[in-house]
Amino acid sequence: MEDVDNLFNPSLAAALKKLDPEDGEQIMEYFKTHALLSREKALLQASVREQKKLLVENAKLKNDIEHLRAQLQDKQKRRTAKTLLSQATPPHSLSPAPNKPASQPASPLGATAVVPVPPLPPSGSSHGGRERQSRRRRGERKAGSTSDPLALGAETQIDVSRLDLRVGRILSVRLHPLSETMSVQEVDMGEDSPRTVVSRLGGKSDLEELQDSLAVVLCNVKPTKMKGVASQARLLCCATSDDHIEVLVPPAGSAPGDRITFLNYPGEPDRELPSKLKIWELLQSDLQVDSKGVATYKGCGFEVKGKGLCRAPSLINCAIR
């Protein structure tokens, strides 16, 4: 800034004209232009550095948020399991009182009433039997605390809110190198890099039309290899009984990474669906395209908040897979 201001000094301009009467004015203009360009370059470099710093900070904040969200989900599951255990576990029965000799009340006629007394166990067996019963009770409580709550909690929470459904853009489509019935898509999910998705669309004749189109993608499935190609997500399609297949379409204005939610089923999805529970298989029977072509779970539509509902391009009353 100081150098530029010095160039506009009238005495400096006069000195240049005196030294070179013909080109002094042009030299002066050249110096001014060069100084202004240098200043703009310095400002631009400072802006770029600041932008890079903000990007790094945003990435760190995003990782922190994901970590905190995972911790919150774990706490919610443990709290639910603890509540279900307290509701499901019956109160412990009272241990029977040790046998005491019963008093024999006198009969009205003076005869002695005979009260049956159970036979005493052999000497040394009573204490051992109580120990075995106590160990069995402790074993039952221990088994219930380690398995039942989690199983009950998982069963009560199996609904569509556990699926991480998002909008993706199909960047490229190609046939699977080892299967004529499969295809391989590269899908932009709004993340740092696209995901590879293997789907059973190899028999479709219009695969090239899927390129650059939007789709509904299940993102929290465990990555698996399908005939040698690792699939990192699942492309949601609808199909009729005669195997006519269409890819579900998000509403207009959707962008890669947009969450798909359900009004009647709020909640955060799992980070990764547990393979042992087969949650996707349990939910799939309730995923349908209705008579209006809207993708639904138990009648509740697939919704991109503020943008609309997900639909099938032309099919109605068919299953989603």
Side-chain angles (χ1 to χ4, degrees):
M1 286 289 293
E2 186 176 353
D3 294 340
V4 176
D5 294 337
N6 289 336
L7 288 177
F8 289 95
N9 192 328
S11 60
L12 180 59
L16 280 174
K17 289 181 181 180
K18 185 176 180 180
L19 290 173
D20 193 345
E22 295 182 359
D23 299 327
E25 187 172 351
Q26 293 181 357
I27 294 173
M28 189 66 183
E29 290 297 326
Y30 170 79
F31 284 154
K32 289 180 181 179
T33 304
H34 181 73
L36 290 173
L37 288 175
S38 298
R39 182 173 62 180
E40 291 179 0
K41 181 180 178 181
L43 292 173
L44 181 59
Q45 289 176 341
S47 176
V48 170
R49 286 195 297 271
E50 186 66 22
Q51 186 177 11
K52 288 182 179 179
K53 181 179 177 183
L54 289 175
L55 288 175
V56 171
E57 291 178 353
N58 286 341
K60 183 179 178 182
L61 287 174
K62 184 177 179 181
N63 290 334
D64 292 344
I65 291 172
E66 290 294 333
H67 181 67
L68 290 174
R69 185 171 67 176
Q71 289 183 340
L72 179 59
Q73 289 176 356
D74 292 340
K75 288 182 180 179
Q76 288 176 341
K77 290 178 182 178
R78 287 198 295 269
R79 191 180 299 114
T80 302
K82 185 176 180 181
T83 303
L84 290 171
L85 177 62
S86 63
Q87 295 175 353
T89 304
H92 299 299
S93 58
L94 296 176
S95 301
N99 293 326
K100 295 182 179 179
S103 60
Q104 299 179 355
S107 65
L109 299 178
T112 303
V114 179
V115 179
V117 178
L120 293 174
S123 177
S125 64
S126 176
H127 181 67
R130 283 198 296 270
E131 282 188 350
R132 286 194 294 272
Q133 291 178 359
S134 177
R135 284 197 296 269
R136 282 199 296 270
R137 285 197 296 270
R138 286 199 299 269
E140 290 170 359
R141 288 198 296 271
K142 184 176 180 181
S145 65
T146 55
S147 60
D148 290 347
L150 294 179
L152 290 171
E155 289 176 0
T156 56
Q157 292 183 1
I158 295 181
D159 60 45
V160 74
S161 67
R162 298 185 66 172
L163 303 181
D164 186 5
L165 294 172
R166 288 186 257 163
V167 176
R169 183 181 299 278
I170 301 175
L171 302 177
S172 64
V173 188
R174 65 182 186 276
L175 286 175
H176 194 291
L178 300 178
S179 175
E180 296 180 353
T181 61
M182 294 183 180
S183 63
V184 182
Q185 296 83 33
E186 297 296 326
V187 184
D188 175 16
M189 301 302 306
E191 300 169 329
D192 294 337
S193 58
R195 296 196 186 197
T196 300
V197 181
V198 180
S199 56
R200 299 187 181 276
L201 297 174
K204 288 175 65 67
S205 59
D206 55 349
L207 283 178
E208 64 278 0
E209 295 181 6
L210 295 178
Q211 186 165 336
D212 203 38
S213 63
L214 296 178
V216 177
V217 183
L218 176 60
C219 297
N220 59 342
V221 292
K222 184 177 181 179
T224 55
K225 279 194 174 183
M226 301 180 69
K227 290 189 178 295
V229 179
S231 182
Q232 300 170 309
R234 185 184 186 97
L235 198 67
L236 264 59
C237 306
C238 55
T240 59
S241 56
D242 58 355
D243 212 27
H244 182 195
I245 302 174
E246 290 182 349
V247 178
L248 292 182
V249 179
S254 299
D258 284 351
R259 272 284 310 277
I260 295 170
T261 57
F262 300 82
L263 182 62
N264 298 338
Y265 301 92
E268 291 296 325
D270 292 12
R271 294 190 68 183
E272 183 178 287
L273 294 177
S275 56
K276 291 184 179 180
L277 295 182
K278 297 188 180 298
I279 293 177
W280 167 252
E281 289 77 2
L282 292 172
L283 297 176
Q284 194 172 1
S285 60
D286 293 315
L287 300 173
Q288 301 283 331
V289 173
D290 64 13
S291 59
K292 297 180 181 179
V294 176
T296 65
Y297 169 76
K298 292 185 177 181
C300 185
F302 288 48
E303 181 182 5
V304 178
K305 194 170 182 180
K307 298 177 182 179
L309 300 173
C310 302
R311 300 175 177 272
S314 62
L315 298 179
I316 60 172
N317 296 326
C318 58
I320 295 174
R321 66 185 193 186

